[in-house]
């Protein structure tokens, strides 16, 4: 069965959705340090794609490049194209990006106060977002739609919630408000950067559920950044594995998680399966993530990889650029692969 047919079988969706987001040759640089290098991937309309990798791998900077919110002093080059937008998002000015952000692509951050205005009632914030992009025709209609949306994301007493300020809510409720803000204009792509990581464990699953439901109801696509491989397995169809500012492996979630082809992916999966080893320690990949822009030449994982050879001093080629499925490793774990 082909990859697209497998995806269709798993999701019930027709296989040939058009490309929505196309990232090619994305570099993010700060001074002389390259923080994201030659990142390329595609997300199809309605597709949910996970982005995983340890802290410092370049996941957030990749996401911020897509929504045009890179921090001061950090520059992107390459290309980020979004269907329905007639210009490249890389290099677009703030005026152009403010027409795209919210309407075509929206982002949910780990920390909701990044996106919320502390001095404005939450109903007004959601309503204003709709008015800016003309999703609602007037203030009255926008106010009504805002309350409906606050209800949809599961805020109790949405009428009262609309009149309250962000600081009057718990962390989980604020995350729901930020989601309402992100979904206010029905964006075709929602980018989520560890949206539940800062929340109480008991709240995480409920907030995740409301995010996924919001995306599915709108047939929106999603790029979902998380540390949690189990969440990716539940929520996403495809996964991108990032390390050292590069995508090192990509493919359908089930394929990548049962038969990883990059030694880094293999390490991540082993660390997640064995939460605690026989001495009660947390299992992790040996060594630590190098500082920004200080990854080894050749394979970026070389200084931590038990399988590295002299060949790994060269940059491993990506195996299958055309389909966006593949890996960049000279010695993939084929011998241990499951044959099913
Ligand atoms: N504003 C910045 N200036 C310089 N370096 C940065 C900046 N933001 C992030 N970095 C560095 O870039 C690397 C990638 O960061 P990030 O994308 O946040 O990683 P992740 O989200 O995978 O944890 C990290 O080493 C981080 O320290
Ligand atoms: S290319 Fe070499 S160093 Fe890199 S992950 Fe594969 S085996 Fe390890
Ligand atoms: Mg991050």
């Amino acid at each position: 069965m082909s990859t697209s047919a497998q995806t269709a079988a798993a999701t019930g969706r027709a296989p040939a959705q058009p490309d929505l987001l196309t990232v090619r040759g994305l570099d993010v640089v700060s001074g002389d340090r390259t923080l994201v290098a030659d990142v390329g991937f595609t997300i199809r309309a309605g597709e949910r794609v996970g982005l995983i990798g340890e802290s410092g791998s370049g996941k957030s900077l990749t996401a911020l490049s897509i929504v045009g919110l890179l921090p001061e002093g950090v520059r992107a080059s390459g290309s980020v194209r979004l269907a329905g937008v007639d210009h490249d998002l890389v290099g677009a000015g703030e005026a152009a990006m403010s027409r795209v952000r919210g309407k075509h692509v929206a982002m949910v951050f780990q920390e909701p106060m990044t996106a919320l205005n502390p001095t404005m009632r939450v109903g007004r914030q959601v309503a204003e977002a709709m008015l800016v992009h003309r999703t609602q025709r007037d203030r009255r209609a926008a106010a009504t739609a805002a309350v409906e949306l606050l209800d949809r994301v599961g805020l109790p007493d949405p009428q009262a919630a609309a009149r309250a300020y962000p600081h009057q809510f718990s962390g989980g409720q604020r995350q729901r408000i930020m989601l309402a803000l992100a979904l206010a204009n029905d964006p075709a792509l929602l980018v989520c950067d560890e949206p539940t990581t800062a929340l109480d464990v008991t709240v995480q699953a409920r907030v995740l559920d409301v995010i996924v439901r919001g995306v599915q109801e709108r047939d929106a696509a999603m790029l979902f950044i998380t540390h949690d491989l189990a969440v990716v397995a539940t929520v996403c169809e495809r996964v991108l594995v990032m390390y050292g500012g590069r995508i090192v492996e990509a493919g359908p979630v089930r394929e990548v998680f049962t038969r990883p082809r990059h030694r880094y992916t293999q390490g991540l999966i082993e660390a997640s399966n064995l939460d605690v080893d026989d001495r009660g320690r947390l299992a992790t990949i040996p060594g630590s993530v190098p500082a920004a822009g200080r990854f080894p030449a050749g394979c970026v994982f070389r200084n931590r990889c038990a399988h590295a050879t002299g060949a790994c001093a060269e940059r491993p080629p990506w195996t299958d650029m055309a389909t966006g499925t593949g890996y960049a490793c000279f010695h993939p774990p084929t011998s241990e692969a499951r044959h099913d």
Side-chain angles (χ1 to χ4, degrees):
M1 213 194 300
S2 75
T3 302
S4 57
Q6 278 173 342
T7 307
T11 63
R13 189 182 298 127
Q17 291 286 348
D19 289 349
L20 174 70
L21 177 79
T22 309
V23 178
R24 291 284 175 267
L26 177 69
D27 287 352
V28 179
V29 174
S30 167
D32 66 345
R33 297 185 307 170
T34 299
L35 309 173
V36 168
D38 198 20
V39 159
F41 62 93
T42 302
I43 298 182
R44 289 174 175 273
E47 190 182 26
R48 295 186 298 277
V49 176
L51 177 56
I52 59 172
E54 291 162 290
S55 283
S57 295
K59 306 182 299 297
S60 292
L61 291 176
T62 299
L64 292 168
S65 303
I66 297 168
V67 293
L69 291 174
L70 281 172
E72 199 75 21
V74 174
R75 269 183 315 106
S77 60
S79 170
V80 175
R81 300 299 305 234
L82 197 54
V85 178
D86 62 8
H87 58 81
D88 205 306
L89 306 192
V90 170
E94 181 47 31
M97 277 316 291
S98 65
R99 287 191 290 273
V100 172
R101 207 184 303 124
K103 187 169 172 59
H104 297 276
V105 55
M107 184 151 170
V108 173
F109 300 86
Q110 181 173 330
E111 174 42 64
M113 291 314 281
T114 326
L116 298 176
N117 179 342
T119 65
M120 197 191 281
R121 296 179 199 274
V122 302
R124 171 105 186 269
Q125 294 190 47
V126 177
E128 292 283 341
M130 292 170 168
L131 289 169
V132 164
H133 290 298
R134 300 198 177 85
T135 300
Q136 294 294 334
R137 63 189 182 287
D138 58 39
R139 289 200 169 277
R140 185 183 290 261
T144 306
V147 172
E148 275 168 21
L149 196 47
L150 293 173
D151 189 28
R152 293 297 293 166
V153 298
L155 281 180
D157 196 353
Q159 296 274 1
R163 290 191 298 273
Y165 291 91
H167 74 263
Q168 294 174 272
F169 295 91
S170 68
Q173 287 171 333
R174 270 186 224 146
Q175 215 59 348
R176 289 171 192 266
I177 296 165
M178 180 166 49
L179 178 67
L181 204 54
L183 295 177
N185 297 293
D186 285 344
L189 174 66
L190 187 70
V191 178
C192 299
D193 191 355
E194 313 220 22
T196 64
T197 306
L199 299 176
D200 205 89
V201 177
T202 56
V203 181
Q204 285 187 358
R206 292 206 295 274
V207 170
L208 179 66
D209 187 54
V210 83
I211 293 173
V212 173
R213 202 148 36 84
V215 164
Q216 279 179 322
E217 281 169 0
R218 289 163 178 79
D219 245 338
M222 177 160 76
L223 178 64
F224 194 93
I225 298 176
T226 178
H227 280 104
D228 193 334
L229 273 57
V231 168
V232 172
T234 317
V235 168
C236 300
E237 293 143 14
R238 219 147 49 78
V239 63
L240 310 169
V241 184
M242 201 164 180
Y243 181 75
R246 292 176 178 270
I247 306 274
V248 296
E249 179 157 12
V253 170
R254 204 169 47 178
E255 231 164 83
V256 171
F257 283 5
T258 55
R259 237 161 65 114
R261 295 309 198 87
H262 195 284
R263 295 291 177 180
Y264 180 65
T265 315
Q266 184 186 32
L268 274 185
I269 292 167
E270 283 168 3
S272 75
N273 286 343
L274 308 164
D275 279 345
V276 178
D277 70 11
D278 54 7
R279 294 206 208 139
R281 293 174 311 197
L282 271 182
T284 54
I285 299 173
S288 54
V289 181
R294 300 284 179 253
F295 288 84
C299 176
V300 281
F301 190 50
R302 186 156 61 99
N303 62 331
R304 298 174 72 194
C305 181
H307 303 272
T309 64
C312 307
E314 299 289 322
R315 167 109 38 236
W318 185 258
T319 53
D320 191 357
M321 203 60 194
T323 61
T325 297
Y327 58 92
C329 176
F330 286 118
H331 310 297
T334 42
S335 49
E336 303 103 287
R338 247 191 257 167
H339 298 285
D340 50 9

